[in-house]
mmCIF file of all heavy atoms in Angstrom:
data_model
loop_
_atom_site.group_PDB
_atom_site.id
_atom_site.type_symbol
_atom_site.label_atom_id
_atom_site.label_comp_id
_atom_site.label_asym_id
_atom_site.label_seq_id
_atom_site.Cartn_x
_atom_site.Cartn_y
_atom_site.Cartn_z
ATOM 1 N N ALA I 1 4.648 6.059 3.743
ATOM 2 C CA ALA I 1 5.030 5.917 5.162
ATOM 3 C C ALA I 1 3.782 5.812 6.020
ATOM 4 O O ALA I 1 2.912 6.673 5.939
ATOM 5 C CB ALA I 1 5.875 7.065 5.600
ATOM 6 N N LYS I 2 3.741 4.778 6.861
ATOM 7 C CA LYS I 2 2.571 4.632 7.747
ATOM 8 C C LYS I 2 2.960 4.258 9.168
ATOM 9 O O LYS I 2 2.142 3.872 9.954
ATOM 10 C CB LYS I 2 1.570 3.617 7.158
ATOM 11 C CG LYS I 2 2.198 2.280 6.775
ATOM 12 C CD LYS I 2 1.235 1.451 5.946
ATOM 13 C CE LYS I 2 1.921 0.235 5.397
ATOM 14 N NZ LYS I 2 1.131 -0.486 4.443
ATOM 15 N N GLY I 3 4.229 4.399 9.499
ATOM 16 C CA GLY I 3 4.654 4.116 10.847
ATOM 17 C C GLY I 3 6.177 4.282 10.999
ATOM 18 O O GLY I 3 6.903 4.415 9.990
ATOM 19 N N LYS I 4 6.649 4.267 12.229
ATOM 20 C CA LYS I 4 8.093 4.479 12.520
ATOM 21 C C LYS I 4 8.973 3.460 11.812
ATOM 22 O O LYS I 4 9.968 3.792 11.193
ATOM 23 C CB LYS I 4 8.318 4.452 14.031
ATOM 24 C CG LYS I 4 9.721 4.752 14.461
ATOM 25 C CD LYS I 4 9.852 4.778 15.957
ATOM 26 C CE LYS I 4 11.260 5.137 16.354
ATOM 27 N NZ LYS I 4 11.424 5.146 17.809
ATOM 28 N N HIS I 5 8.575 2.167 11.895
ATOM 29 C CA HIS I 5 9.355 1.130 11.252
ATOM 30 C C HIS I 5 9.385 1.356 9.746
ATOM 31 O O HIS I 5 10.442 1.212 9.106
ATOM 32 C CB HIS I 5 8.789 -0.250 11.595
ATOM 33 C CG HIS I 5 9.458 -1.362 10.833
ATOM 34 N ND1 HIS I 5 10.716 -1.782 11.152
ATOM 35 C CD2 HIS I 5 9.016 -2.127 9.774
ATOM 36 C CE1 HIS I 5 11.048 -2.803 10.311
ATOM 37 N NE2 HIS I 5 10.063 -2.985 9.507
ATOM 38 N N ASN I 6 8.223 1.688 9.189
ATOM 39 C CA ASN I 6 8.135 1.917 7.763
ATOM 40 C C ASN I 6 9.015 3.104 7.334
ATOM 41 O O ASN I 6 9.621 3.081 6.267
ATOM 42 C CB ASN I 6 6.666 2.148 7.383
ATOM 43 C CG ASN I 6 6.408 2.117 5.911
ATOM 44 O OD1 ASN I 6 5.918 3.129 5.380
ATOM 45 N ND2 ASN I 6 6.733 1.034 5.244
ATOM 46 N N ALA I 7 9.049 4.163 8.145
ATOM 47 C CA ALA I 7 9.863 5.352 7.811
ATOM 48 C C ALA I 7 11.345 4.972 7.795
ATOM 49 O O ALA I 7 12.107 5.426 6.906
ATOM 50 C CB ALA I 7 9.625 6.464 8.838
ATOM 51 N N LYS I 8 11.790 4.156 8.738
ATOM 52 C CA LYS I 8 13.193 3.695 8.720
ATOM 53 C C LYS I 8 13.487 2.850 7.490
ATOM 54 O O LYS I 8 14.562 2.928 6.907
ATOM 55 C CB LYS I 8 13.494 2.893 10.001
ATOM 56 C CG LYS I 8 13.563 3.751 11.234
ATOM 57 C CD LYS I 8 13.908 2.929 12.444
ATOM 58 C CE LYS I 8 13.992 3.782 13.695
ATOM 59 N NZ LYS I 8 14.311 3.023 14.889
ATOM 60 N N GLN I 9 12.495 2.024 7.105
ATOM 61 C CA GLN I 9 12.662 1.190 5.891
ATOM 62 C C GLN I 9 12.782 2.098 4.657
ATOM 63 O O GLN I 9 13.591 1.848 3.791
ATOM 64 C CB GLN I 9 11.479 0.259 5.788
ATOM 65 C CG GLN I 9 11.505 -0.655 4.583
ATOM 66 C CD GLN I 9 10.255 -1.531 4.503
ATOM 67 O OE1 GLN I 9 9.495 -1.684 5.455
ATOM 68 N NE2 GLN I 9 10.056 -2.105 3.346
ATOM 69 N N ILE I 10 11.974 3.155 4.622
ATOM 70 C CA ILE I 10 12.012 4.075 3.485
ATOM 71 C C ILE I 10 13.370 4.760 3.385
ATOM 72 O O ILE I 10 13.938 4.895 2.304
ATOM 73 C CB ILE I 10 10.864 5.114 3.615
ATOM 74 C CG1 ILE I 10 9.557 4.438 3.244
ATOM 75 C CG2 ILE I 10 11.113 6.332 2.695
ATOM 76 C CD1 ILE I 10 8.312 5.254 3.517
ATOM 77 N N GLU I 11 13.925 5.138 4.532
ATOM 78 C CA GLU I 11 15.263 5.768 4.536
ATOM 79 C C GLU I 11 16.272 4.831 3.934
ATOM 80 O O GLU I 11 17.121 5.223 3.113
ATOM 81 C CB GLU I 11 15.641 6.128 5.974
ATOM 82 C CG GLU I 11 16.996 6.761 6.098
ATOM 83 C CD GLU I 11 17.316 7.144 7.540
ATOM 84 O OE1 GLU I 11 16.752 6.529 8.477
ATOM 85 O OE2 GLU I 11 18.175 8.036 7.722
ATOM 86 N N SER I 12 16.217 3.547 4.281
ATOM 87 C CA SER I 12 17.134 2.559 3.743
ATOM 88 C C SER I 12 16.907 2.358 2.239
ATOM 89 O O SER I 12 17.855 2.264 1.465
ATOM 90 C CB SER I 12 16.953 1.250 4.518
ATOM 91 O OG SER I 12 17.770 0.232 3.985
ATOM 92 N N GLU I 13 15.620 2.272 1.830
ATOM 93 C CA GLU I 13 15.283 2.075 0.425
ATOM 94 C C GLU I 13 15.826 3.227 -0.452
ATOM 95 O O GLU I 13 16.367 3.005 -1.519
ATOM 96 C CB GLU I 13 13.783 1.961 0.235
ATOM 97 C CG GLU I 13 13.214 0.655 0.692
ATOM 98 C CD GLU I 13 11.670 0.633 0.610
ATOM 99 O OE1 GLU I 13 11.095 1.568 0.028
ATOM 100 O OE2 GLU I 13 11.054 -0.329 1.088
ATOM 101 N N ILE I 14 15.672 4.473 0.052
ATOM 102 C CA ILE I 14 16.131 5.615 -0.733
ATOM 103 C C ILE I 14 17.633 5.580 -0.881
ATOM 104 O O ILE I 14 18.173 5.838 -1.975
ATOM 105 C CB ILE I 14 15.649 6.967 -0.073
ATOM 106 C CG1 ILE I 14 14.142 7.096 -0.235
ATOM 107 C CG2 ILE I 14 16.373 8.127 -0.703
ATOM 108 C CD1 ILE I 14 13.554 8.300 0.473
ATOM 109 N N SER I 15 18.343 5.213 0.194
ATOM 110 C CA SER I 15 19.804 5.106 0.080
ATOM 111 C C SER I 15 20.205 4.073 -0.954
ATOM 112 O O SER I 15 21.135 4.303 -1.738
ATOM 113 C CB SER I 15 20.399 4.727 1.446
ATOM 114 O OG SER I 15 20.165 5.763 2.379
ATOM 115 N N GLU I 16 19.501 2.933 -0.971
ATOM 116 C CA GLU I 16 19.775 1.919 -1.966
ATOM 117 C C GLU I 16 19.412 2.395 -3.376
ATOM 118 O O GLU I 16 20.142 2.141 -4.333
ATOM 119 C CB GLU I 16 19.009 0.616 -1.642
ATOM 120 C CG GLU I 16 19.511 -0.099 -0.407
ATOM 121 C CD GLU I 16 18.623 -1.287 -0.048
ATOM 122 O OE1 GLU I 16 17.798 -1.712 -0.865
ATOM 123 O OE2 GLU I 16 18.769 -1.771 1.069
ATOM 124 N N ASP I 17 18.275 3.064 -3.491
ATOM 125 C CA ASP I 17 17.819 3.591 -4.793
ATOM 126 C C ASP I 17 18.802 4.580 -5.381
ATOM 127 O O ASP I 17 19.041 4.596 -6.579
ATOM 128 C CB ASP I 17 16.444 4.239 -4.685
ATOM 129 C CG ASP I 17 15.322 3.240 -4.467
ATOM 130 O OD1 ASP I 17 15.526 2.042 -4.678
ATOM 131 O OD2 ASP I 17 14.209 3.701 -4.075
ATOM 132 N N ILE I 18 19.380 5.423 -4.539
ATOM 133 C CA ILE I 18 20.362 6.409 -5.016
ATOM 134 C C ILE I 18 21.508 5.687 -5.720
ATOM 135 O O ILE I 18 21.943 6.105 -6.800
ATOM 136 C CB ILE I 18 20.860 7.310 -3.854
ATOM 137 C CG1 ILE I 18 19.727 8.272 -3.443
ATOM 138 C CG2 ILE I 18 22.129 8.044 -4.240
ATOM 139 C CD1 ILE I 18 20.015 9.086 -2.202
ATOM 140 N N VAL I 19 22.000 4.618 -5.132
ATOM 141 C CA VAL I 19 23.083 3.873 -5.764
ATOM 142 C C VAL I 19 22.592 3.141 -6.992
ATOM 143 O O VAL I 19 23.207 3.200 -8.079
ATOM 144 C CB VAL I 19 23.721 2.860 -4.767
ATOM 145 C CG1 VAL I 19 24.729 1.980 -5.421
ATOM 146 C CG2 VAL I 19 24.321 3.613 -3.577
ATOM 147 N N LYS I 20 21.483 2.445 -6.856
ATOM 148 C CA LYS I 20 20.923 1.642 -7.972
ATOM 149 C C LYS I 20 20.645 2.489 -9.208
ATOM 150 O O LYS I 20 21.059 2.157 -10.322
ATOM 151 C CB LYS I 20 19.654 0.955 -7.446
ATOM 152 C CG LYS I 20 18.911 0.116 -8.409
ATOM 153 C CD LYS I 20 17.768 -0.637 -7.750
ATOM 154 C CE LYS I 20 16.769 0.267 -7.058
ATOM 155 N NZ LYS I 20 15.625 -0.444 -6.483
ATOM 156 N N TYR I 21 19.944 3.613 -9.001
ATOM 157 C CA TYR I 21 19.596 4.438 -10.176
ATOM 158 C C TYR I 21 20.776 5.252 -10.654
ATOM 159 O O TYR I 21 20.865 5.611 -11.840
ATOM 160 C CB TYR I 21 18.402 5.336 -9.869
ATOM 161 C CG TYR I 21 17.141 4.537 -9.611
ATOM 162 C CD1 TYR I 21 16.373 4.697 -8.464
ATOM 163 C CD2 TYR I 21 16.723 3.560 -10.510
ATOM 164 C CE1 TYR I 21 15.223 3.979 -8.252
ATOM 165 C CE2 TYR I 21 15.571 2.805 -10.315
ATOM 166 C CZ TYR I 21 14.833 3.020 -9.164
ATOM 167 O OH TYR I 21 13.705 2.279 -8.935
ATOM 168 N N GLY I 22 21.725 5.541 -9.774
ATOM 169 C CA GLY I 22 22.960 6.199 -10.231
ATOM 170 C C GLY I 22 23.759 5.305 -11.157
ATOM 171 O O GLY I 22 24.345 5.779 -12.132
ATOM 172 N N LYS I 23 23.794 4.032 -10.840
ATOM 173 C CA LYS I 23 24.514 3.073 -11.713
ATOM 174 C C LYS I 23 23.846 2.975 -13.096
ATOM 175 O O LYS I 23 24.539 2.667 -14.057
ATOM 176 C CB LYS I 23 24.529 1.682 -11.078
ATOM 177 C CG LYS I 23 25.505 1.543 -9.908
ATOM 178 C CD LYS I 23 25.505 0.143 -9.389
ATOM 179 C CE LYS I 23 26.489 -0.097 -8.289
ATOM 180 N NZ LYS I 23 26.458 -1.474 -7.774
ATOM 181 N N SER I 24 22.563 3.248 -13.182
ATOM 182 C CA SER I 24 21.892 3.152 -14.463
ATOM 183 C C SER I 24 22.233 4.309 -15.417
ATOM 184 O O SER I 24 22.109 4.188 -16.614
ATOM 185 C CB SER I 24 20.367 3.100 -14.296
ATOM 186 O OG SER I 24 19.831 4.384 -13.988
ATOM 187 N N ARG I 25 22.702 5.411 -14.835
ATOM 188 C CA ARG I 25 23.141 6.604 -15.598
ATOM 189 C C ARG I 25 22.071 7.114 -16.570
ATOM 190 O O ARG I 25 22.392 7.581 -17.645
ATOM 191 C CB ARG I 25 24.414 6.290 -16.376
ATOM 192 C CG ARG I 25 25.574 5.910 -15.475
ATOM 193 C CD ARG I 25 26.805 5.468 -16.271
ATOM 194 N NE ARG I 25 27.926 5.291 -15.364
ATOM 195 C CZ ARG I 25 28.948 6.147 -15.301
ATOM 196 N NH1 ARG I 25 28.983 7.188 -16.072
ATOM 197 N NH2 ARG I 25 29.943 5.894 -14.459
ATOM 198 N N LYS I 26 20.789 7.043 -16.172
ATOM 199 C CA LYS I 26 19.719 7.428 -17.090
ATOM 200 C C LYS I 26 19.019 8.722 -16.727
ATOM 201 O O LYS I 26 18.307 9.288 -17.526
ATOM 202 C CB LYS I 26 18.660 6.338 -17.143
ATOM 203 C CG LYS I 26 19.166 5.075 -17.786
ATOM 204 C CD LYS I 26 18.074 4.103 -18.030
ATOM 205 C CE LYS I 26 18.677 2.859 -18.698
ATOM 206 N NZ LYS I 26 17.733 2.087 -19.431
ATOM 207 N N PHE I 27 19.218 9.219 -15.507
ATOM 208 C CA PHE I 27 18.455 10.359 -15.043
ATOM 209 C C PHE I 27 19.339 11.512 -14.593
ATOM 210 O O PHE I 27 20.364 11.291 -13.953
ATOM 211 C CB PHE I 27 17.532 9.955 -13.873
ATOM 212 C CG PHE I 27 16.636 8.797 -14.196
ATOM 213 C CD1 PHE I 27 16.864 7.544 -13.653
ATOM 214 C CD2 PHE I 27 15.572 8.960 -15.065
ATOM 215 C CE1 PHE I 27 16.035 6.463 -13.959
ATOM 216 C CE2 PHE I 27 14.736 7.904 -15.389
ATOM 217 C CZ PHE I 27 14.978 6.631 -14.824
ATOM 218 N N ASP I 28 18.900 12.744 -14.927
ATOM 219 C CA ASP I 28 19.546 13.939 -14.387
ATOM 220 C C ASP I 28 19.016 14.240 -12.995
ATOM 221 O O ASP I 28 19.695 14.859 -12.172
ATOM 222 C CB ASP I 28 19.282 15.132 -15.276
ATOM 223 C CG ASP I 28 19.969 15.019 -16.618
ATOM 224 O OD1 ASP I 28 20.948 14.268 -16.744
ATOM 225 O OD2 ASP I 28 19.498 15.642 -17.573
ATOM 226 N N LEU I 29 17.756 13.816 -12.738
ATOM 227 C CA LEU I 29 17.126 14.080 -11.466
ATOM 228 C C LEU I 29 16.178 12.927 -11.133
ATOM 229 O O LEU I 29 15.430 12.433 -11.993
ATOM 230 C CB LEU I 29 16.258 15.387 -11.542
ATOM 231 C CG LEU I 29 15.389 15.681 -10.306
ATOM 232 C CD1 LEU I 29 16.230 15.947 -9.055
ATOM 233 C CD2 LEU I 29 14.454 16.858 -10.598
ATOM 234 N N ILE I 30 16.234 12.531 -9.866
ATOM 235 C CA ILE I 30 15.268 11.553 -9.346
ATOM 236 C C ILE I 30 14.602 12.204 -8.127
ATOM 237 O O ILE I 30 15.253 12.701 -7.213
ATOM 238 C CB ILE I 30 15.941 10.203 -8.900
ATOM 239 C CG1 ILE I 30 16.467 9.531 -10.177
ATOM 240 C CG2 ILE I 30 14.894 9.335 -8.207
ATOM 241 C CD1 ILE I 30 17.140 8.177 -9.912
ATOM 242 N N ILE I 31 13.263 12.204 -8.180
ATOM 243 C CA ILE I 31 12.448 12.762 -7.087
ATOM 244 C C ILE I 31 11.892 11.627 -6.265
ATOM 245 O O ILE I 31 11.247 10.710 -6.831
ATOM 246 C CB ILE I 31 11.320 13.638 -7.619
ATOM 247 C CG1 ILE I 31 11.867 14.818 -8.428
ATOM 248 C CG2 ILE I 31 10.432 14.126 -6.465
ATOM 249 C CD1 ILE I 31 10.816 15.617 -9.176
#
């Protein structure tokens, strides 16, 4: 994160990653 716009983008990316990696069913934990 290096700015307000970037922080909002990260929030969106994490939301997408939660779905994407959840569908893979490979991890007990994602940090």
Side-chain angles (χ1 to χ4, degrees):
K2 51 191 172 190
K4 184 176 181 180
H5 174 74
N6 191 239
K8 288 181 178 180
Q9 180 182 345
I10 286 171
E11 181 179 23
S12 177
E13 287 176 8
I14 290 175
S15 295
E16 290 174 15
D17 288 346
I18 287 171
V19 174
K20 178 173 57 175
Y21 295 128
K23 285 182 177 180
S24 75
R25 299 174 173 254
K26 294 189 179 203
F27 304 108
D28 292 337
L29 172 66
I30 294 181
I31 299 171

